[in-house]
């Protein structure tokens, strides 16, 4: 057996057993087979990381094969988005292939099955055929067209191909066993008529193959060694193997289908159909809305490829369905951004602070550390002046002993600057605080080494200089749903659980001027507030930041409780 140092998951154990039983390592080949009918989400990321990860582990090729057999729902937009997502995650495919590449070959094999008496054309409607299939405890009933002659079936199938029949009037079915305990084996449909143009083959085809017929045969054509599918396809494995039996040449490698549990994430939905609903009904702002679990949405929100790969590895490959807590995903992006994100100061809910004993017109440049977790991140300068913005919640006129921020008569340190004491406030007629008036200790400058600078105060707050601050829009994203499993309620629509506070927009936040030259996708820690990144909506006139994740690490706290 080949030597792998890390702990093996059960799929890797299967591969190792095959290698130990004589399979040549050069025969290993994997594939990722998305259907181009929507954008990829975090669940697909698990499959991407699995298949391409196996390719890296075993130095084996991995094909990207689009399962494009349903022209009603597939678009080139989705093909392009899928390729972009996989590349962004850091993976490279051996070939880009399409099930539509094999339409002629699949058709020829279907004709062969008809000639062998293993497939027939059925004229019944889908409802009638479903009723005839029986139930898991009751055997099915043969179609009245099951014993059609080979000649008639060949003629009808060709007419289906030529577009002589309307949609829904005829299908091609495999002739297997209507009494099988596996209902998928009860004469499954292989082809249906769809008078629709295909995004790659245009008007060439009027019939399109079904998934079960296409999938295994495509694996066989590409000589995929291990076809890894999610658990909903476990009962399909018998049919996968039956279809392979009809075309298999012993001189060639025979693919092996094995199943693993799909990735389910709390507080979201993973159905592409339901995600499409959210997009089409305008409940989110497109597939890449930062609240969406799509890879493009996570990218726009500020998640990194490494954080998603690390999350996929930590969540693992399971044999049984389970739900992964969203907090684990948030833990991994926090862990990475804590190491690499530059620290900056921003004020989201500003109140004016005036240092009354600081000279009017004076300004100075103070030194600030970019990232205490990265010694090579260096330092930057931030301007300081008499009038500042601080967070409104960082001040109270009166507060108890547990409030360590600014309050009247008490001191705090301004981050990277001086120790100040609040003396009084200016209010409007409604009693709202307009200004906080403070005094500062000129000898308490951070890093000066003076005795006053060494003085300990319990609180440190962030700030920006009003004269130098840049105005920005900040979008605070939270979970899209309030329920842990929004689509698990049979008597309720999943959309009933949409979180009304999943997006809050702050149109006038203020940020330090060092952010004037940032680019789309750049990520930062707004000190004491969270991790943020630059949104594509940013312009030269106004920057837009998305909150990637808050600073609070709920996953770590959950683990401590356990």
């Amino acid at each position: 057996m080949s030597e792998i140092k890390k702990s093996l998951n059960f799929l890797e154990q299967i591969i190792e057993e095959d290698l130990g039983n004589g399979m040549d390592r050069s025969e290993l080949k994997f594939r990722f087979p998305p259907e181009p009918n929507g954008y990829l989400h975090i669940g697909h990321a698990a499959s991407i990381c699995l298949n391409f990860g196996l390719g890296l582990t075993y130095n084996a090729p991995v094909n990207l094969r689009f399962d494009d057999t349903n022209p009603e729902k597939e678009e080139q937009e989705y093909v392009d988005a899928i390729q972009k997502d996989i590349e962004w995650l850091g993976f490279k495919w051996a070939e880009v292939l399409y099930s539509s590449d094999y339409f002629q070959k699949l058709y020829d094999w279907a004709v062969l099955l008809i000639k062998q008496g293993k497939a027939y054309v059925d004229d019944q409607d889908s409802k009638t055929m479903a009723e005839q299939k029986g139930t898991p405890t009751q055997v099915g009933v043969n179609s009245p067209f099951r014993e059609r002659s080979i000649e008639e079936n060949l003629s009808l199938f060709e007419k289906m191909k030529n577009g002589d029949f309307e949609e829904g009037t005829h299908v091609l079915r495999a002739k297997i066993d209507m009494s099988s305990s596996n209902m998928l084996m009860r004469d499954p449909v292989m082809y249906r008529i769809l008078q629709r143009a295909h995004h790659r083959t245009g008007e060439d085809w009027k019939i399109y193959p079904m998934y079960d017929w296409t999938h295994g045969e495509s694996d066989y054509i590409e000589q995929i060694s291990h076809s890894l599918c999610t658990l909903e396809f476990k009962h399909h494995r018998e049919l996968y193997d039956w279809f392979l039996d009809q075309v298999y040449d012993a001189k060639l490698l025979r693919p092996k289908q094995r199943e693993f549990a799909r990735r389910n994430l709390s507080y979201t939905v993973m159905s592409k159909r339901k995600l499409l609903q959210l997009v089409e009904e305008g409940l989110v702002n497109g597939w890449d809305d930062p609240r969406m679990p799509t890879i493009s949405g996570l990218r726009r929100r500020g998640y990194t490829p490494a954080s998603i790969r690390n999350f996929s590895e930590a969540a693992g490959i399971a044999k049984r369905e389970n739900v992964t807590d969203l907090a684990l995903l948030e833990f991994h992006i926090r862990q990475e951004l804590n190491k690499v994100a530059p620290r900056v100061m921003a004020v989201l809910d500003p109140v004016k602070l005036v240092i009354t004993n600081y000279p009017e017109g004076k300004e100075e440049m103070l030194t600030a550390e970019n990232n205490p977790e990265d010694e090579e991140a260096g330092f930057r300068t931030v301007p300081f002046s008499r009038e500042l913005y601080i967070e409104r919640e960082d001040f109270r006129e009166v507060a108890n002993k547990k409030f360590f921020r600014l309050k009247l008569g008490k001191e705090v340190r301004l981050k990277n600057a001086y120790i100040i004491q609040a003396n009084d406030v200016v209010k409007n007629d409604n009693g709202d605080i307009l200004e906080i008036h403070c005094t500062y200790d000129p000898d308490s400058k951070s890093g000066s080494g003076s005795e006053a600078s060494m003085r300990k105060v319990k609180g440190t707050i962030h700030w920006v200089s009003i004269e130098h601050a840049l105005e920005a829009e900040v979008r605070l994203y939270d979970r899209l749903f309030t329920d842990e499993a929004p689509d698990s309620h049979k008597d309720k629509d999943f959309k009933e659980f949409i979180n009304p506070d999943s997006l809050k927009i702050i149109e006038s936040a203020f940020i330090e001027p060092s952010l004037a030259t940032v680019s789309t996708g750049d990520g930062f820690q707004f000190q004491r507030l969270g991790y943020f990144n630059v949104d594509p909506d940013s312009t030269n006139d106004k920057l837009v930041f998305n909150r990637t994740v808050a600073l609070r690490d709920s996953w770590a706290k959950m683990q401590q409780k356990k």
Side-chain angles (χ1 to χ4, degrees):
M1 296 175 70
S2 64
E3 185 177 338
I4 297 181
K5 294 181 180 179
K6 70 179 181 67
S7 177
L8 300 180
N9 62 50
F10 76 97
L11 293 173
E12 291 170 328
Q13 290 173 357
I14 290 171
I15 295 170
E16 287 294 303
E17 289 173 4
D18 290 339
L19 293 173
N21 291 329
M23 173 180 278
D24 193 285
R25 202 179 184 91
S26 65
E27 293 181 305
L28 290 177
K29 194 175 189 180
F30 308 99
R31 89 289 171 269
F32 174 63
E35 186 178 355
N37 62 354
Y39 281 58
L40 300 182
H41 54 61
I42 190 66
H44 296 112
S47 183
I48 292 170
C49 292
L50 170 62
N51 284 286
F52 285 94
L54 288 171
L56 292 171
T57 297
Y58 292 99
N59 193 27
V62 183
N63 287 346
L64 170 59
R65 183 179 72 238
F66 290 98
D67 173 26
D68 57 343
T69 60
N70 187 356
E72 291 181 289
K73 299 180 179 180
E74 296 158 1
E75 298 179 18
Q76 185 62 40
E77 173 193 351
Y78 299 138
V79 171
D80 296 339
I82 288 169
Q83 292 188 64
K84 179 179 179 180
D85 287 346
I86 295 172
E87 288 182 315
W88 178 76
L89 283 172
F91 297 112
K92 295 181 179 180
W93 50 78
E95 295 182 84
V96 177
L97 300 168
Y98 300 82
S99 294
S100 55
D101 294 336
Y102 315 129
F103 279 175
Q104 185 62 52
K105 184 68 172 177
L106 292 167
Y107 176 81
D108 293 342
W109 275 338
V111 169
L112 179 63
L113 262 64
I114 293 173
K115 289 180 178 179
Q116 294 174 344
K118 296 177 179 178
Y120 63 96
V121 174
D122 198 328
D123 302 0
Q124 300 176 103
D125 60 68
S126 58
K127 182 180 179 182
T128 301
M129 286 187 286
E131 292 172 348
Q132 290 173 349
K133 279 204 167 186
T135 68
T137 58
Q138 183 179 0
V139 299
V141 177
N142 286 349
S143 165
F145 303 104
R146 198 172 195 266
E147 301 306 324
R148 268 181 165 150
S149 68
I150 291 175
E151 291 73 20
E152 186 179 6
N153 281 320
L154 288 172
S155 175
L156 289 170
F157 190 47
E158 185 174 4
K159 288 180 180 179
M160 287 171 60
K161 176 179 178 290
N162 294 337
D164 295 343
F165 300 127
E166 293 183 2
E167 292 183 13
T169 59
H170 297 73
V171 295
L172 182 71
R173 299 176 68 179
K175 187 188 292 187
I176 306 179
D177 183 3
M178 291 300 291
S179 64
S180 173
S181 59
N182 183 348
M183 292 187 66
L184 294 171
M185 301 295 286
R186 297 180 186 179
D187 292 9
V189 173
M190 296 174 63
Y191 278 89
R192 78 285 203 200
I193 300 168
L194 287 176
Q195 304 275 5
R196 312 292 172 92
H198 188 277
H199 72 102
R200 292 188 71 245
T201 62
E203 304 282 351
D204 292 352
W205 292 89
K206 310 300 180 185
I207 57 172
Y208 291 92
M210 301 297 288
Y211 174 85
D212 281 319
W213 170 237
T214 308
H215 185 64
E217 314 308 89
S218 298
D219 287 341
Y220 178 60
I221 291 170
E222 295 175 21
Q223 288 290 274
I224 301 302
S225 62
H226 295 81
S227 180
L228 307 178
C229 306
T230 46
L231 277 181
E232 64 262 36
F233 294 102
K234 186 171 185 177
H235 293 298
H236 294 246
R237 192 200 297 182
E238 185 179 2
L239 183 55
Y240 179 98
D241 288 335
W242 189 90
F243 279 138
L244 281 181
D245 288 341
Q246 313 315 311
V247 300
Y248 176 60
D249 182 340
K251 297 177 183 177
L252 298 175
L253 181 142
R254 182 186 175 104
K256 174 186 291 188
Q257 177 179 305
R258 292 296 181 265
E259 305 81 23
F260 62 97
R262 67 187 300 172
R263 175 82 71 244
N264 295 307
L265 196 65
S266 64
Y267 296 98
T268 189
V269 294
M270 304 299 274
S271 160
K272 280 194 284 187
R273 177 180 59 82
K274 291 175 181 176
L275 293 176
L276 180 60
Q277 272 186 268
L278 296 174
V279 173
E280 291 182 336
E281 295 178 22
L283 299 170
V284 295
N285 300 314
W287 284 99
D288 68 342
D289 187 303
R291 292 167 291 180
M292 291 279 273
T294 54
I295 295 174
S296 56
L298 292 168
R299 177 169 60 241
R300 185 171 181 179
R301 187 160 174 166
Y303 278 76
T304 63
S307 68
I308 294 175
R309 293 195 305 267
N310 292 339
F311 162 72
S312 295
E313 182 175 354
I317 303 298
K319 292 184 178 181
R320 297 180 181 178
E321 290 290 351
N322 60 83
V323 177
T324 303
D325 199 300
L326 178 62
L328 178 60
L329 178 61
E330 293 175 342
F331 165 79
H332 281 284
I333 187 60
R334 278 195 198 92
Q335 189 177 53
E336 183 180 356
L337 292 180
N338 182 54
K339 297 175 183 176
V340 302
R343 275 53 167 171
V344 296
M345 291 191 288
V347 175
L348 306 189
D349 184 16
V351 63
K352 185 176 181 180
L353 183 145
V354 180
I355 305 174
T356 56
N357 63 333
Y358 194 88
E360 292 190 30
K362 179 182 177 180
E363 63 179 58
E364 57 184 308
M365 300 302 292
L366 303 179
T367 300
E369 190 175 18
N370 286 328
N371 188 339
E373 301 293 325
D374 181 2
E375 294 181 357
E376 298 182 0
F379 296 83
R380 70 189 187 285
T381 54
V382 290
F384 185 82
S385 62
R386 188 173 190 265
E387 296 184 347
L388 312 172
Y389 284 132
I390 66 168
E391 293 288 348
R392 188 171 294 273
E393 68 173 18
D394 281 348
F395 173 76
R396 292 181 189 174
E397 290 181 83
V398 179
N400 61 34
K401 293 180 179 180
K402 294 183 178 180
F403 185 76
F404 297 129
R405 285 166 280 178
L406 187 61
K407 51 190 173 183
L408 287 178
K410 300 297 181 180
E411 292 182 325
V412 296
R413 175 173 289 284
L414 295 174
K415 181 71 174 176
N416 306 308
Y418 298 94
I419 294 173
I420 60 170
Q421 178 177 297
N423 302 314
D424 54 49
V425 296
V426 176
K427 299 182 179 180
N428 62 16
D429 294 339
N430 296 324
D432 301 319
I433 296 175
L434 300 179
E435 295 181 4
I436 305 163
H437 288 186
C438 301
T439 53
Y440 87 118
D441 181 349
D443 295 326
S444 65
K445 183 176 179 180
S446 294
S448 65
S450 67
E451 183 177 345
S453 70
M454 302 291 190
R455 187 155 51 88
K456 299 295 183 182
V457 292
K458 289 186 176 180
T460 299
I461 63 175
H462 63 279
W463 52 273
V464 292
S465 167
I466 293 178
E467 182 180 351
H468 305 91
L470 303 176
E471 190 173 4
E473 178 180 308
V474 174
R475 299 169 181 175
L476 301 177
Y477 291 101
D478 202 345
R479 294 172 177 179
L480 183 56
F481 295 96
T482 57
D483 189 86
E484 187 173 4
D487 55 355
S488 66
H489 305 271
K490 294 182 179 180
D491 57 337
K492 292 186 178 181
D493 189 318
F494 76 100
K495 290 175 289 185
E496 292 182 34
F497 298 100
I498 289 180
N499 180 7
D501 298 319
S502 63
L503 171 59
K504 293 181 180 179
I505 298 178
I506 299 172
E507 295 184 354
S508 295
F510 294 94
I511 58 177
E512 66 175 69
S514 68
L515 296 171
T517 58
V518 297
S519 301
T520 297
D522 288 350
F524 302 90
Q525 183 195 103
F526 287 1
Q527 290 183 313
R528 301 176 61 239
L529 298 175
Y531 294 99
F532 294 77
N533 83 308
V534 184
D535 188 81
D537 288 343
S538 291
T539 66
N540 291 332
D541 297 325
K542 192 170 188 178
L543 293 171
V544 178
F545 289 87
N546 300 321
R547 183 171 67 186
T548 305
V549 67
L551 288 178
R552 182 171 173 266
D553 191 344
S554 58
W555 174 254
K557 291 186 177 181
M558 286 168 55
Q559 297 308 301
Q560 288 173 4
K561 288 181 180 180
K562 290 180 180 180

